[in-house]
Amino acid sequence: ETGVTQSPTHLIKTRGQQVTLRCSSQSGHNTVSWYQQALGQGPQFIFQYYREEENGRGNFPPRFSGLQFPNYSSELNVNALELDDSALYLCASSPEAGDNEQFFGPGTRLTVL
Amino acid sequence: KNQVEQSPQSLIILEGKNCTLQCNYTVSPFSNLRWYKQDTGRGPVSLTIMTFSENTKSNGRYTATLDADTKQSSLHITASQLSDSASYICVVSPYNGAGNMLTFGGGTRLMVKP
């Protein structure tokens, strides 16, 4: 176990709805990165938060937004869900925003119907 | 565009056999290359991390090699076990010091059969 937790484990939503996914980083880590992993593919970088500020963003539309709290836990919000948003959403924490090893949580499986 | 390509996409081997997974990347310059193991529906778990100056790194039955000149890496699994069945993902970190733009390969899905 990496000490990174995510909730919920599974989630089913319908197209057009909004969803919030949560991540608690490992103790002592101030950086959280979010990834989307479609079935059978590698993870795609969504964005990273470092000390409550966004610190880099991948090629995802603005309806994907995030937040990091003072305790360094984080949320991923997705508005106007589309069928293609169905995926495993992974959160990874690291000690700093620099090039450190990232520790992944178990993921949240989102299904959009 | 930075890319990481892995081969084969999937592999089936018998328990006890060895196998080698390949990773080719175009990320340049790069800081380090990582191999992760991902069980189905779970988050990836780090196996090895190599900087550009390292040629090989081992973690138990897993041995990773790196050729920075040809931009190739391999992950060799020795004496495979049923629990090795998983996806193995190669990840390259660009040399920008930010660590926020890791490039992931699509993974190799390994199945070890008894």
Side-chain angles (χ1 to χ4, degrees), chain B residues 2 9 12 20 25-26 29-30 32 34 50-51 55-56 59-61 76-78 81 83 85 91 105 110:
Chain B
N2 289 334
Q9 280 192 323
I12 301 174
T20 300
Y25 60 92
T26 61
F30 91 106
N32 59 64
R34 316 170 188 196
M50 290 184 292
T51 66
N55 298 122
T56 185
N59 177 2
R61 295 181 295 103
H76 186 75
I77 304 175
T78 304
Q81 300 176 358
S83 59
S85 296
V91 185
L110 174 66

Side-chain angles (χ1 to χ4, degrees), chain A residues 1 35 37 40-43 45 48 55-57 88 90 97-102 104-106 109, chain B residues 31-32 34 36 38 41-44 46 49 89 93-94 97-102 104-106 109:
Chain A
E1 297 297 327
Y35 296 87
Q37 185 177 25
Q41 297 183 20
F45 175 71
Q48 183 184 81
N55 182 47
R57 187 181 181 92
L88 181 69
L90 295 165
D99 194 11
N100 295 286
E101 182 174 358
Q102 295 190 355
F104 286 85
R109 170 71 63 189
Chain B
S31 173
N32 59 64
R34 316 170 188 196
Y36 283 89
Q38 185 176 24
R42 307 289 295 177
S46 178
I49 298 178
I89 303 175
S93 176
N100 61 3
M101 289 295 288
L102 301 180
F104 288 72
R109 186 177 296 277

Side-chain angles (χ1 to χ4, degrees), chain B residues 9-46:
Chain B
Q9 280 192 323
S10 61
L11 184 62
I12 301 174
I13 63 173
L14 293 176
E15 187 179 11
K17 297 296 186 182
N18 304 335
C19 67
T20 300
L21 314 180
Q22 301 291 344
C23 172
N24 297 336
Y25 60 92
T26 61
V27 180
S28 182
F30 91 106
S31 173
N32 59 64
L33 185 147
R34 316 170 188 196
W35 281 94
Y36 283 89
K37 177 186 178 186
Q38 185 176 24
D39 293 314
T40 302
R42 307 289 295 177
V45 175
S46 178

